[in-house]
Structure formats: C-alpha cells, structure tokens
Amino acid sequence: MERKEKCLARLTNWDKTSCRLAPCMTASRVIVCKNVPLGSSPLCQKCMERPLDGKYQSRMMHGLLTEPIPEASRLYGGPWYWLQVEKHGDPKEKEWLEAAIESQRVAEEWCGEGAWKVQRMSAKDIKMVKAKAKAKEKKVKEKVQNTSNMAAKLLYKESEDAPVMLQTDSYTLRKEVYGDMEVFISQNGLVFESDGGEAGELIAKYVDGEFVDLD
C-alpha cells in the first residue's frame, strides 16, 4: 500500500496501551490510524474531526506522524514524557518501554519517508519547556484566583448567612497544576494523580501547602 493511501494521524488507545510508570506519570504509546485519507488530505474524515488537546487522550489527535509529538500529549517520546523521565528516571517497566519503542518503529514504517523520529530531549530543550510550563502555571493560578475572588464576592452579596459545609460520603475534587504535574486534591487533602484528565490513583496527602507521602 502506498503512503498516500494511509491516514497519517498519530493516535493512542489509553485503556490498552497506557502504563503507570511512576507517581503522577502515566504514559501511553502511539498507534496508527488505518483509515483511508480524505482526498488530498493526509487525514481521514474521522481524524480531521478529532481535537488536538483535551483530557481524553484516546479522542485527540497527537499531531501528524511527520511532526513532533505535541506538549499536550502523554505519549512515549513527547516533551511531557521526557520531562517525567528527567524527574523520575527511565521507566522500570521494561516490557512497556520495549512495546512503546516498537510502536514508534511501526508508526515510522507506516508513515514512510518524512516520518518524525523520537529523540531524547536535550537539557536546553527541557529547560525551555519547563519555563513555558511555569509561565502557563502562573497564568492558570491567576485565573483561578480571580475566579475564586469573583465567586466569593458574589456569595457575600447574595447571602447573609455563613456557608455551611455538609458531611458527605463523596469527594469534591479540585484540579491543580504544579509545573508539569497535574493532580486532583480533595477537600480533606487527599491527592490523586491525573490519569488521562480524570482522577486516578491516590498518591499522597496535601498538608499545610506541601505534599506528604502516604503512611
């Protein structure tokens, strides 16, 4: 089959190909789309309609196979992956790592000439990505703070009674981003990893503004 007959979307199947490699580090590996592209486009109709980011990794398109993996992606070989490797070290799940490397090889072969190849990020590139993430984190925190201030003013204006916290057997979670790490924190300080944009495993406690290991 000629390359022009192949959709060049980079995809993943989070449920089947992801692996928890370290606390707050669940990565996935690439899969290819086997649909036929639409007209002269490198993409099929379905992939043309996929979002380029979002909390559901399986739904989004992780760029073209001819392009670098985007920062929003949690795929092996992308910027997020190398940042996590720098923080936690190379994955100890050797079987998954071998499968991820093989999946990338298959994707390159599928794409043919012009395929993007995985390269370990340099210290300079990692520093640049961190700086960008830090700036984004600051912007998000400012937005959350402004939203909280507006909500507090509205509550004060609309109600003369102090708000009452009711006991419940369910958690109210808030999403927080710390550098390149995204977590969910409950009202009682339980910290859950972000797994594909949703609350995953319990990994720590948040006490007095600091993360504390579970007992």
Side-chain angles (χ1 to χ4, degrees):
M1 183 183 292
E2 297 296 330
R3 187 180 78 82
K4 65 181 181 180
E5 298 177 352
K6 301 176 182 179
C7 177
L8 297 184
R10 180 187 289 114
L11 307 176
T12 193
N13 186 322
W14 191 263
D15 291 338
K16 294 182 178 180
T17 65
S18 64
C19 182
R20 187 168 185 261
L21 305 176
C24 297
M25 181 185 178
T26 301
S28 192
R29 54 188 174 87
V30 63
I31 63 173
V32 298
C33 175
K34 297 186 178 180
N35 292 335
V36 176
L38 186 65
S40 60
S41 170
L43 301 174
C44 68
Q45 180 65 50
K46 184 174 182 179
C47 288
M48 290 177 68
E49 298 172 357
R50 290 179 181 273
L52 299 179
D53 57 19
K55 65 179 183 178
Y56 297 111
Q57 294 279 306
S58 292
R59 293 182 184 176
M60 62 184 274
M61 185 180 77
H62 302 250
L64 295 174
L65 294 174
T66 55
E67 303 173 340
I69 297 173
E71 293 180 11
S73 174
R74 298 296 183 259
L75 290 182
Y76 160 78
W80 178 88
Y81 176 84
W82 294 122
L83 287 175
Q84 300 304 310
V85 167
E86 187 206 30
K87 182 185 297 184
H88 302 290
D90 288 314
K92 294 180 174 59
E93 300 290 340
K94 300 303 180 183
E95 185 176 338
W96 178 87
L97 183 57
E98 290 174 0
I101 293 173
E102 174 61 15
S103 294
Q104 175 61 29
R105 186 197 66 77
V106 170
E108 292 173 15
E109 187 177 87
W110 176 266
C111 179
E113 185 179 354
W116 178 83
K117 300 180 184 298
V118 170
Q119 291 184 338
R120 196 177 188 112
M121 287 181 66
S122 66
K124 181 180 179 181
D125 289 337
I126 289 177
K127 187 176 181 180
M128 289 177 61
V129 173
K130 281 184 174 181
K132 186 176 179 180
K134 190 172 183 180
K136 184 178 179 180
E137 173 192 0
K138 182 179 179 181
K139 190 173 182 180
V140 170
K141 284 185 176 180
E142 289 176 349
K143 184 177 180 180
V144 170
Q145 185 62 49
N146 291 338
T147 302
S148 298
N149 290 340
M150 290 177 62
K153 290 179 181 179
L154 183 61
L155 177 64
Y156 177 79
K157 184 177 181 180
E158 292 184 349
S159 174
E160 297 179 356
D161 299 325
V164 177
M165 297 297 293
L166 299 177
Q167 289 186 342
T168 176
D169 58 359
S170 62
Y171 291 114
T172 298
L173 302 176
R174 72 178 188 276
K175 183 167 68 173
E176 298 281 355
V177 180
Y178 296 89
D180 58 351
M181 180 178 71
E182 182 180 271
V183 297
F184 288 87
I185 304 177
S186 69
Q187 290 178 320
N188 60 349
L190 297 179
V191 182
F192 301 85
E193 72 170 332
S194 177
D195 193 348
E198 298 184 341
E201 295 185 34
L202 175 64
I203 57 173
K205 296 178 183 177
Y206 191 67
V207 181
D208 297 328
E210 295 184 353
F211 290 105
V212 179
D213 290 336
L214 295 171
D215 299 331

